[in-house]
Amino acid sequence: MIDLKTFLPPRFYVGVTDTQWFEFLRAQPALDEVNFWSPGSRRLAAGRGTPFVFKLRAPMNAIGGVAFVSFVESMSIRDAWEFFGRENGVPSLQRLRERIAANRPSKTAELDDRIGCFVLSQPTFFPIPIPQPEDWSPSLQGGKYYTTDTAAGLRVWREISVALSQRLSPPVASPFGGVELRLQPARIGQGAFRKLVLDAYGRRCAVSGEHTVPVLQASHIRPFADVAQHEVTNGLALRSDIHTLFDRGYVTVTPDYELRVSERLREDFDNGEMYYEYERKRPRIFVPDAAQSRPNRELLEWHNETVFHG
Protein backbone atom coordinates (compact mmCIF):
# COMPACT_ATOMS: atom_id res chain seq x y z
CA MET A 1 0.00 0.00 0.00
CA ILE A 2 1.18 3.53 -0.72
CA ASP A 3 0.18 6.90 0.67
CA LEU A 4 -0.79 9.00 -2.34
CA LYS A 5 -0.36 12.12 -0.23
CA THR A 6 3.40 11.59 -0.35
CA PHE A 7 3.63 9.42 -3.49
CA LEU A 8 5.37 11.34 -6.25
CA PRO A 9 6.28 8.81 -8.94
CA PRO A 10 9.68 9.44 -10.51
CA ARG A 11 7.89 9.44 -13.84
CA PHE A 12 4.51 8.69 -15.36
CA TYR A 13 3.40 8.08 -18.93
CA VAL A 14 0.83 10.26 -20.69
CA GLY A 15 -0.65 8.21 -23.55
CA VAL A 16 -2.79 9.58 -26.39
CA THR A 17 -6.12 7.81 -25.90
CA ASP A 18 -8.77 6.86 -28.45
CA THR A 19 -12.09 8.50 -27.54
CA GLN A 20 -14.24 5.49 -28.49
CA TRP A 21 -12.10 3.19 -26.32
CA PHE A 22 -12.27 5.63 -23.43
CA GLU A 23 -16.03 6.24 -23.58
CA PHE A 24 -16.85 2.53 -23.88
CA LEU A 25 -14.80 1.64 -20.80
CA ARG A 26 -15.96 4.63 -18.77
CA ALA A 27 -19.52 3.31 -19.16
CA GLN A 28 -18.61 -0.14 -17.76
CA PRO A 29 -19.21 -0.91 -14.07
CA ALA A 30 -16.32 -1.44 -11.63
CA LEU A 31 -13.42 -2.45 -13.86
CA ASP A 32 -10.27 -3.74 -12.16
CA GLU A 33 -8.16 -3.55 -15.34
CA VAL A 34 -8.19 -2.49 -18.99
CA ASN A 35 -6.12 -3.30 -22.06
CA PHE A 36 -4.78 -0.16 -23.72
CA TRP A 37 -3.85 -1.64 -27.07
CA SER A 38 -1.80 -0.31 -29.94
CA PRO A 39 -2.73 -1.37 -33.51
CA GLY A 40 0.90 -2.29 -34.18
CA SER A 41 3.18 -4.29 -31.93
CA ARG A 42 4.60 -1.15 -30.27
CA ARG A 43 5.86 -1.71 -26.75
CA LEU A 44 6.64 0.70 -23.95
CA ALA A 45 9.42 0.29 -21.41
CA ALA A 46 7.34 0.61 -18.25
CA GLY A 47 7.72 -1.23 -14.96
CA ARG A 48 4.84 -2.67 -12.97
CA GLY A 49 3.07 0.08 -11.04
CA THR A 50 4.03 2.94 -13.40
CA PRO A 51 1.13 5.44 -13.67
CA PHE A 52 -0.41 5.55 -17.17
CA VAL A 53 -2.41 8.72 -17.85
CA PHE A 54 -5.20 8.87 -20.48
CA LYS A 55 -4.73 11.97 -22.65
CA LEU A 56 -7.85 12.48 -24.78
CA ARG A 57 -7.54 13.56 -28.39
CA ALA A 58 -8.81 16.80 -29.89
CA PRO A 59 -11.18 18.48 -29.40
CA MET A 60 -10.97 17.44 -25.71
CA ASN A 61 -7.19 17.80 -25.39
CA ALA A 62 -7.40 16.94 -21.70
CA ILE A 63 -6.63 14.16 -19.24
CA GLY A 64 -9.58 11.84 -18.69
CA GLY A 65 -8.21 9.30 -16.23
CA VAL A 66 -5.33 7.20 -14.95
CA ALA A 67 -4.39 3.56 -14.35
CA PHE A 68 -1.25 1.62 -13.35
CA VAL A 69 0.86 -0.67 -15.55
CA SER A 70 0.57 -4.40 -14.85
CA PHE A 71 2.68 -5.52 -17.80
CA VAL A 72 3.41 -4.62 -21.40
CA GLU A 73 3.80 -7.11 -24.24
CA SER A 74 2.91 -7.92 -27.80
CA MET A 75 0.17 -10.53 -28.11
CA SER A 76 -2.18 -11.95 -30.72
CA ILE A 77 -5.55 -10.31 -31.23
CA ARG A 78 -7.27 -13.55 -30.18
CA ASP A 79 -5.26 -13.69 -26.95
CA ALA A 80 -6.12 -10.08 -26.19
CA TRP A 81 -9.80 -10.97 -26.47
CA GLU A 82 -9.46 -14.32 -24.65
CA PHE A 83 -7.90 -12.76 -21.57
CA PHE A 84 -9.44 -9.29 -21.48
CA GLY A 85 -12.72 -9.41 -23.43
CA ARG A 86 -14.68 -6.16 -23.17
CA GLU A 87 -11.79 -4.65 -21.18
CA ASN A 88 -10.25 -4.08 -24.64
CA GLY A 89 -12.77 -1.24 -25.01
CA VAL A 90 -15.04 -3.04 -27.51
CA PRO A 91 -18.09 -5.34 -27.21
CA SER A 92 -16.81 -8.26 -29.34
CA LEU A 93 -13.80 -9.91 -30.95
CA GLN A 94 -15.07 -8.90 -34.39
CA ARG A 95 -15.35 -5.29 -33.30
CA LEU A 96 -11.81 -5.45 -31.89
CA ARG A 97 -10.49 -6.66 -35.25
CA GLU A 98 -12.39 -3.87 -37.03
CA ARG A 99 -11.06 -1.18 -34.70
CA ILE A 100 -7.48 -2.44 -35.11
CA ALA A 101 -7.79 -2.50 -38.90
CA ALA A 102 -9.25 1.02 -38.90
CA ASN A 103 -6.28 2.32 -36.91
CA ARG A 104 -3.56 0.68 -38.97
CA PRO A 105 -1.82 2.80 -41.62
CA SER A 106 -1.97 0.31 -44.48
CA LYS A 107 -3.90 -2.73 -45.65
CA THR A 108 -0.76 -4.85 -45.57
CA ALA A 109 -0.57 -4.25 -41.82
CA GLU A 110 -3.92 -6.01 -41.46
CA LEU A 111 -2.08 -9.28 -42.02
CA ASP A 112 -0.22 -8.79 -38.73
CA ASP A 113 -2.12 -10.65 -36.01
CA ARG A 114 -0.15 -9.07 -33.16
CA ILE A 115 -0.87 -5.89 -31.28
CA GLY A 116 0.89 -3.99 -28.52
CA CYS A 117 -0.90 -4.42 -25.19
CA PHE A 118 -0.51 -2.17 -22.18
CA VAL A 119 -2.40 -4.04 -19.45
CA LEU A 120 -3.40 -1.52 -16.81
CA SER A 121 -4.89 -2.05 -13.35
CA GLN A 122 -7.21 0.08 -11.21
CA PRO A 123 -8.45 2.36 -14.02
CA THR A 124 -10.11 5.56 -12.85
CA PHE A 125 -12.09 7.78 -15.23
CA PHE A 126 -12.54 11.38 -14.15
CA PRO A 127 -15.99 13.03 -14.50
CA ILE A 128 -14.27 16.38 -15.06
CA PRO A 129 -11.18 16.24 -17.30
CA ILE A 130 -7.87 17.71 -16.14
CA PRO A 131 -5.96 20.17 -18.34
CA GLN A 132 -3.26 18.47 -20.36
CA PRO A 133 0.43 19.37 -19.73
CA GLU A 134 1.24 22.92 -20.74
CA ASP A 135 4.12 21.80 -22.93
CA TRP A 136 2.18 19.08 -24.79
CA SER A 137 3.01 19.01 -28.51
CA PRO A 138 0.11 18.44 -30.96
CA SER A 139 2.50 16.38 -33.10
CA LEU A 140 2.75 13.62 -30.48
CA GLN A 141 1.00 10.50 -31.79
CA GLY A 142 1.79 7.99 -29.06
CA GLY A 143 2.68 9.53 -25.75
CA LYS A 144 5.36 10.97 -23.52
CA TYR A 145 6.93 10.41 -20.13
CA TYR A 146 6.72 13.18 -17.54
CA THR A 147 8.58 13.49 -14.25
CA THR A 148 7.38 15.10 -11.04
CA ASP A 149 10.53 17.19 -10.75
CA THR A 150 9.27 19.46 -13.56
CA ALA A 151 6.58 22.12 -13.18
CA ALA A 152 4.26 20.57 -15.78
CA GLY A 153 4.69 17.04 -14.43
CA LEU A 154 4.15 18.04 -10.81
CA ARG A 155 1.05 20.10 -11.61
CA VAL A 156 -0.53 17.25 -13.60
CA TRP A 157 0.24 14.62 -10.97
CA ARG A 158 -1.14 16.76 -8.16
CA GLU A 159 -4.41 17.29 -10.04
CA ILE A 160 -4.59 13.54 -10.77
CA SER A 161 -4.13 12.84 -7.05
CA VAL A 162 -6.96 15.21 -6.15
CA ALA A 163 -9.24 13.63 -8.80
CA LEU A 164 -8.40 10.14 -7.54
CA SER A 165 -9.26 11.11 -3.97
CA GLN A 166 -12.66 12.38 -5.10
CA ARG A 167 -13.43 9.12 -6.90
CA LEU A 168 -13.01 7.00 -3.79
CA SER A 169 -16.12 5.69 -2.05
CA PRO A 170 -16.80 7.49 0.21
CA PRO A 171 -14.98 10.53 -1.20
CA VAL A 172 -12.16 11.98 0.85
CA ALA A 173 -10.48 15.36 0.92
CA SER A 174 -7.60 16.18 -1.37
CA PRO A 175 -4.47 14.24 -0.40
CA PHE A 176 -2.59 17.51 -0.64
CA GLY A 177 -4.81 18.87 2.13
CA GLY A 178 -3.38 16.38 4.61
CA VAL A 179 -5.63 13.32 4.16
CA GLU A 180 -3.98 9.94 3.67
CA LEU A 181 -5.03 8.21 0.46
CA ARG A 182 -3.86 4.66 -0.13
CA LEU A 183 -3.64 2.72 -3.40
CA GLN A 184 -1.89 -0.41 -4.65
CA PRO A 185 -0.37 0.60 -8.01
CA ALA A 186 1.37 -2.77 -8.48
CA ARG A 187 -1.83 -4.79 -8.15
CA ILE A 188 -2.87 -6.77 -11.22
CA GLY A 189 -6.38 -7.65 -12.34
CA GLN A 190 -8.10 -10.97 -12.93
CA GLY A 191 -7.44 -11.12 -16.67
CA ALA A 192 -3.76 -10.34 -16.22
CA PHE A 193 -3.54 -12.93 -13.44
CA ARG A 194 -5.04 -15.61 -15.70
CA LYS A 195 -2.68 -14.79 -18.56
CA LEU A 196 0.43 -14.70 -16.38
CA VAL A 197 -0.46 -17.98 -14.65
CA LEU A 198 -1.31 -19.79 -17.90
CA ASP A 199 1.88 -18.52 -19.54
CA ALA A 200 3.93 -19.69 -16.54
CA TYR A 201 2.48 -23.20 -16.98
CA GLY A 202 3.04 -23.26 -20.74
CA ARG A 203 -0.72 -22.92 -21.24
CA ARG A 204 -1.51 -26.38 -19.96
CA CYS A 205 -3.46 -27.69 -17.00
CA ALA A 206 -1.12 -28.55 -14.13
CA VAL A 207 -3.02 -31.82 -13.52
CA SER A 208 -4.33 -33.09 -16.86
CA GLY A 209 -1.93 -31.43 -19.31
CA GLU A 210 -4.92 -30.01 -21.25
CA HIS A 211 -3.81 -27.29 -23.70
CA THR A 212 -7.18 -25.88 -24.84
CA VAL A 213 -6.96 -22.32 -23.53
CA PRO A 214 -10.71 -21.50 -23.33
CA VAL A 215 -11.19 -24.25 -20.70
CA LEU A 216 -8.08 -23.33 -18.70
CA GLN A 217 -8.46 -21.14 -15.63
CA ALA A 218 -6.15 -19.57 -13.07
CA SER A 219 -7.11 -20.97 -9.70
CA HIS A 220 -6.19 -19.13 -6.53
CA ILE A 221 -4.67 -21.47 -3.96
CA ARG A 222 -5.79 -19.16 -1.17
CA PRO A 223 -8.86 -17.09 -2.13
CA PHE A 224 -8.31 -13.59 -3.45
CA ALA A 225 -10.53 -12.22 -0.69
CA ASP A 226 -7.97 -13.44 1.86
CA VAL A 227 -4.86 -12.06 0.20
CA ALA A 228 -6.16 -9.03 -1.78
CA GLN A 229 -3.46 -9.57 -4.43
CA HIS A 230 -3.25 -11.58 -7.64
CA GLU A 231 0.19 -13.26 -7.54
CA VAL A 232 1.40 -16.04 -9.83
CA THR A 233 2.76 -17.98 -6.83
CA ASN A 234 -0.79 -18.11 -5.45
CA GLY A 235 -2.06 -19.61 -8.69
CA LEU A 236 -2.46 -22.94 -10.44
CA ALA A 237 -3.36 -23.43 -14.10
CA LEU A 238 -6.29 -25.85 -13.98
CA ARG A 239 -8.95 -27.12 -16.36
CA SER A 240 -12.32 -25.68 -15.35
CA ASP A 241 -13.70 -28.90 -13.81
CA ILE A 242 -10.53 -29.52 -11.78
CA HIS A 243 -10.58 -25.87 -10.68
CA THR A 244 -14.10 -26.36 -9.31
CA LEU A 245 -13.09 -29.48 -7.40
CA PHE A 246 -9.98 -27.71 -6.06
CA ASP A 247 -12.04 -24.78 -4.77
CA ARG A 248 -14.51 -27.16 -3.11
CA GLY A 249 -11.80 -29.23 -1.46
CA TYR A 250 -12.26 -32.48 -3.40
CA VAL A 251 -8.74 -32.26 -4.83
CA THR A 252 -5.59 -30.56 -3.58
CA VAL A 253 -1.89 -30.24 -4.35
CA THR A 254 0.62 -31.00 -1.62
CA PRO A 255 3.62 -28.77 -0.83
CA ASP A 256 5.66 -31.40 -2.75
CA TYR A 257 3.51 -30.70 -5.83
CA GLU A 258 1.62 -33.99 -5.75
CA LEU A 259 -2.07 -34.36 -6.54
CA ARG A 260 -4.43 -35.72 -3.90
CA VAL A 261 -8.05 -36.64 -4.52
CA SER A 262 -10.39 -36.94 -1.55
CA GLU A 263 -12.40 -40.09 -0.90
CA ARG A 264 -15.30 -37.72 -0.32
CA LEU A 265 -15.58 -37.25 -4.09
CA ARG A 266 -16.55 -40.92 -4.51
CA GLU A 267 -18.71 -40.92 -1.37
CA ASP A 268 -20.63 -37.75 -2.22
CA PHE A 269 -21.17 -38.35 -5.94
CA ASP A 270 -20.51 -42.08 -6.53
CA ASN A 271 -18.19 -41.00 -9.32
CA GLY A 272 -14.85 -39.31 -10.02
CA GLU A 273 -12.79 -42.15 -11.51
CA MET A 274 -11.15 -39.77 -13.99
CA TYR A 275 -9.62 -37.79 -11.14
CA TYR A 276 -8.47 -40.84 -9.16
CA GLU A 277 -6.81 -42.02 -12.37
CA TYR A 278 -4.85 -38.76 -12.58
CA GLU A 279 -3.69 -39.36 -9.01
CA ARG A 280 -2.62 -42.93 -9.75
CA LYS A 281 -0.89 -42.36 -13.09
CA ARG A 282 0.82 -39.05 -12.55
CA PRO A 283 0.64 -37.79 -8.98
CA ARG A 284 3.20 -35.00 -9.46
CA ILE A 285 1.66 -32.01 -11.21
CA PHE A 286 3.23 -29.91 -13.96
CA VAL A 287 4.93 -26.85 -12.44
CA PRO A 288 6.48 -23.79 -14.11
CA ASP A 289 10.10 -24.05 -15.22
CA ALA A 290 10.89 -20.76 -13.50
CA ALA A 291 11.30 -21.33 -9.76
CA GLN A 292 9.92 -17.86 -8.93
CA SER A 293 6.61 -18.75 -10.63
CA ARG A 294 6.00 -22.07 -8.87
CA PRO A 295 3.18 -22.45 -6.34
CA ASN A 296 3.97 -21.17 -2.87
CA ARG A 297 4.43 -24.22 -0.63
CA GLU A 298 3.01 -22.49 2.45
CA LEU A 299 -0.16 -21.63 0.54
CA LEU A 300 -0.46 -25.23 -0.66
CA GLU A 301 -0.09 -26.40 2.93
CA TRP A 302 -2.88 -24.01 3.93
CA HIS A 303 -5.15 -25.49 1.23
CA ASN A 304 -4.34 -29.05 2.35
CA GLU A 305 -5.13 -28.28 5.98
CA THR A 306 -8.03 -25.85 5.58
CA VAL A 307 -9.93 -26.64 2.37
CA PHE A 308 -9.16 -30.24 1.38
CA HIS A 309 -11.51 -33.00 2.58
CA GLY A 310 -8.67 -35.24 3.74
Side-chain angles (χ1 to χ4, degrees), residues 69-276:
V69 173
S70 289
F71 64 90
V72 181
E73 72 173 61
S74 171
M75 67 180 77
S76 70
I77 297 171
R78 182 168 292 280
D79 271 1
W81 183 257
E82 173 67 33
F83 293 107
F84 303 105
R86 293 168 68 89
E87 291 166 351
N88 287 288
V90 289
S92 67
L93 172 59
Q94 179 58 33
R95 184 57 179 152
L96 177 60
R97 293 189 185 280
E98 292 170 355
R99 294 285 296 124
I100 292 167
N103 281 277
R104 282 179 167 167
S106 67
K107 290 187 177 181
T108 56
E110 294 179 17
L111 300 176
D112 184 4
D113 188 49
R114 303 195 72 78
I115 55 175
C117 294
F118 307 83
V119 181
L120 311 173
S121 71
Q122 301 179 86
T124 300
F125 303 101
F126 304 146
I128 301 176
I130 293 170
Q132 68 183 24
E134 292 81 357
D135 62 351
W136 186 267
S137 171
S139 64
L140 278 174
Q141 297 298 311
K144 177 183 177 180
Y145 270 110
Y146 280 84
T147 62
T148 51
D149 59 3
T150 64
L154 183 59
R155 192 274 300 169
V156 168
W157 185 253
R158 286 193 170 191
E159 292 198 33
I160 287 171
S161 299
V162 171
L164 276 171
S165 71
Q166 294 170 346
R167 296 298 288 168
L168 292 185
S169 181
V172 300
S174 161
F176 292 94
V179 174
E180 287 191 359
L181 176 61
R182 297 186 181 274
L183 291 173
Q184 293 177 292
R187 189 176 72 190
I188 63 175
Q190 179 62 37
F193 174 67
R194 180 173 174 240
K195 184 180 189 303
L196 293 173
V197 170
L198 265 57
D199 284 352
Y201 283 79
R203 301 201 176 186
R204 64 180 175 184
C205 171
V207 172
S208 69
E210 177 63 58
H211 279 272
T212 308
V213 171
V215 302
L216 297 182
Q217 299 175 350
S219 169
H220 290 90
I221 300 169
R222 184 153 188 163
F224 176 75
D226 290 352
V227 296
Q229 283 277 24
H230 294 297
E231 296 291 349
V232 173
T233 55
N234 187 34
L236 290 167
L238 298 176
R239 200 174 61 202
S240 57
D241 57 327
I242 300 173
H243 181 184
T244 299
L245 295 176
F246 183 84
D247 284 353
R248 296 187 182 185
Y250 288 106
V251 302
T252 194
V253 174
T254 73
D256 293 325
Y257 304 141
E258 292 189 345
L259 177 69
R260 293 288 180 268
V261 182
S262 172
E263 283 300 315
R264 282 276 302 278
L265 183 61
R266 183 182 286 114
E267 294 168 5
D268 289 355
F269 303 104
D270 193 28
N271 208 327
E273 282 307 312
M274 175 197 306
Y275 308 105
Y276 293 112

Side-chain angles (χ1 to χ4, degrees), residues 45-73:
R48 185 171 166 184
T50 300
F52 191 108
V53 176
F54 305 134
K55 209 293 288 187
L56 302 174
R57 299 178 185 273
M60 290 293 290
N61 290 324
I63 291 170
V66 64
F68 298 91
V69 173
S70 289
F71 64 90
V72 181
E73 72 173 61

